Amino acid sequence: MQRYYLTSISLIIYLFSFGQGGGLSTYQFLNLPYSTQVAALGGKMVAADSKDITLVHQNPAILDSTLSHEINLFYTRYFADISFASATYAQKLDAKRTLAISVFGVSYGTFDEADVSGIITGSFTGNDIALALTYSQAIDSNFTYGISFKPIYSHLERYYSFGAAFDIGLHYKSSNNLFAAGAVIKNIGYMIKPYTNGNFEHLPFEILVGFSKKLAHAPFRITATLHNLQRYNLYYSPPDNQSLLIEQTENSPGFIERAGREMLSHAILGIEFTPVKAFTLRFGYNYQRRNELKVQERIGTVGFSWGFGIHLNKFDISFGRATYHLAGSTNHFSISSNLHNWL
């Protein structure tokens, strides 16, 4: 039975790896980090040996019976008037099967509406929202598979659309809780009703793999994630670094250098430090974010992120901060509690 599940998921990954690779896509809010832990560790994460219900947004297979009765509220004040939030709850069905429900989305704030001559005639709003229904089942004591179904609604001024997406994931956790690995196919789906008639768009399909390793005799945990594996050419050469075509040809990087750039563009690294049981510090690095959003004259800490988690009585409180650009950073907040502790 275990071999059947692993073979099936591997086949699905192979088939979809040649699907929607690159190009424009809609519903990008599906890929936002609805987790302070993920935001602090670089923005994406598909494997964990720690207990955090918000990670089901990253990999549905991370959901297991230990998260039963867990509830989480998450909020981020993004740039300008944009904000995004989520609420998540999990309930086990039995020792092997667990369900979770989550609602999440983005508010883009209020915009001025003007006619063709620039005269303000009113205002309008925009928002995206989705519901996630997640089911997971343990294959054995180490492997778990999961699937999320996400109905989507998007409203931008007078335009609106509906869509549906699936996430399929596999997760492994060692018996000693020191190592975890995961793989997930995200946003397999389609636009049911487009914003305008006949203009159907792709969803932000993505394949990710990663691992998490806790040191046995030190309070450190290392995480690594490879994202957008359905695309090879992910490295972006900033316009400021481009020169004349002749110079580019003469100074074009070799195969090893190009391969190294591509590998780094797919990699997200993070580290957690837990000096005491109730407190954790987190740091992350996202090479692609740093490469694409840096300003050559002053790179600063673009691409880096950090955060912390505190356990207080019956609550887990987390904070994460990520630097996207010199123009500003994002702050992420969440609070979790297990309802079983209140009964």
Side-chain angles (χ1 to χ4, degrees):
M1 182 63 69
Q2 176 179 337
R3 181 179 299 178
Y4 168 77
Y5 283 123
L6 295 178
T7 303
S8 299
I9 293 177
S10 299
L11 179 60
I12 293 173
I13 292 176
Y14 173 81
L15 291 175
F16 279 95
S17 65
F18 298 96
Q20 306 167 14
L24 299 177
S25 60
T26 188
Y27 304 144
Q28 288 291 335
F29 79 102
L30 296 174
N31 286 332
L32 290 173
Y34 297 92
S35 166
T36 52
Q37 180 179 359
V38 172
L41 292 174
K44 296 179 182 180
M45 181 177 173
V46 297
D49 47 21
S50 59
K51 182 180 177 182
D52 187 346
I53 191 175
T54 61
L55 296 179
V56 301
H57 292 283
Q58 300 291 312
N59 185 351
I62 292 179
L63 178 67
D64 60 29
S65 59
T66 63
L67 295 170
S68 185
H69 302 294
E70 195 78 12
I71 187 170
N72 174 272
L73 300 176
F74 168 89
Y75 176 79
T76 293
R77 181 72 173 179
Y78 217 39
F79 300 103
D81 290 331
I82 303 173
S83 60
F84 61 93
S86 69
T88 309
Y89 175 74
Q91 173 70 55
K92 71 175 182 179
L93 301 178
D94 52 40
K96 290 188 175 183
R97 300 179 300 155
T98 309
L99 288 176
I101 183 171
S102 177
V103 57
F104 60 97
V106 182
S107 172
Y108 298 105
T110 302
F111 301 85
D112 291 330
E113 184 176 6
D115 58 21
V116 292
S117 60
I119 299 176
I120 303 299
T121 59
S123 63
F124 64 92
T125 61
N127 54 76
D128 295 326
I129 191 170
L131 178 71
L133 301 173
T134 303
Y135 171 84
S136 71
Q137 182 171 332
I139 301 173
D140 55 26
S141 59
N142 301 114
F143 285 93
T144 304
Y145 74 90
I147 183 170
S148 290
F149 170 61
K150 299 181 291 188
I152 304 163
Y153 170 74
S154 178
H155 171 254
L156 303 171
E157 204 252 342
R158 70 176 70 102
Y159 304 97
Y160 66 94
S161 73
F162 296 97
F166 289 89
D167 295 346
I168 301 174
L170 179 68
H171 191 254
Y172 168 83
K173 185 163 61 174
S174 64
S175 300
N176 59 7
N177 289 328
L178 295 180
F179 179 79
V184 63
I185 312 172
K186 297 196 68 175
N187 304 320
I188 308 167
Y190 55 92
M191 180 179 278
I192 300 173
K193 182 195 178 302
Y195 295 103
T196 57
N197 291 334
N199 187 23
F200 291 89
E201 303 175 64
H202 292 301
L203 271 63
F205 175 82
E206 185 177 11
I207 298 175
L208 306 96
V209 298
F211 73 88
S212 172
K213 171 63 178 177
K214 185 180 185 303
L215 302 184
H217 304 291
F220 292 96
R221 178 185 287 111
I222 301 170
T223 62
T225 304
L226 296 177
H227 65 100
N228 280 294
L229 293 180
Q230 78 285 355
R231 296 176 54 189
Y232 172 74
N233 297 319
L234 200 62
Y235 178 77
Y236 168 72
S237 181
D240 291 341
N241 293 337
Q242 294 180 353
S243 56
L244 295 176
L245 180 61
I246 297 178
E247 295 179 0
Q248 289 182 359
T249 302
E250 293 178 350
N251 301 320
S252 59
F255 173 78
I256 296 179
E257 184 178 352
R258 290 198 304 270
R261 290 177 178 179
E262 291 297 341
M263 178 62 70
L264 287 174
S265 297
H266 288 276
I268 298 174
L269 303 175
I271 185 169
E272 292 183 291
F273 172 58
T274 308
V276 294
K277 187 176 181 180
F279 180 74
T280 301
L281 277 173
R282 304 178 177 117
F283 301 93
Y285 176 66
N286 188 318
Y287 176 83
Q288 183 192 24
R289 182 186 297 167
R290 183 174 177 82
N291 179 54
E292 294 183 355
L293 299 179
K294 66 185 178 182
V295 177
Q296 292 294 337
E297 291 76 13
R298 185 184 173 192
I299 300 177
T301 58
V302 173
F304 288 91
S305 53
W306 66 276
F308 61 83
I310 303 175
H311 178 74
L312 296 175
N313 196 8
K314 299 178 181 179
F315 296 96
D316 290 300
I317 301 172
S318 295
F319 169 80
R321 182 176 175 85
T323 304
Y324 284 80
H325 192 271
L326 289 178
S329 302
T330 59
N331 296 314
H332 310 258
F333 305 89
S334 74
I335 183 170
S336 299
S337 184
N338 194 298
L339 298 184
H340 184 72
N341 295 333
W342 298 86
L343 302 178

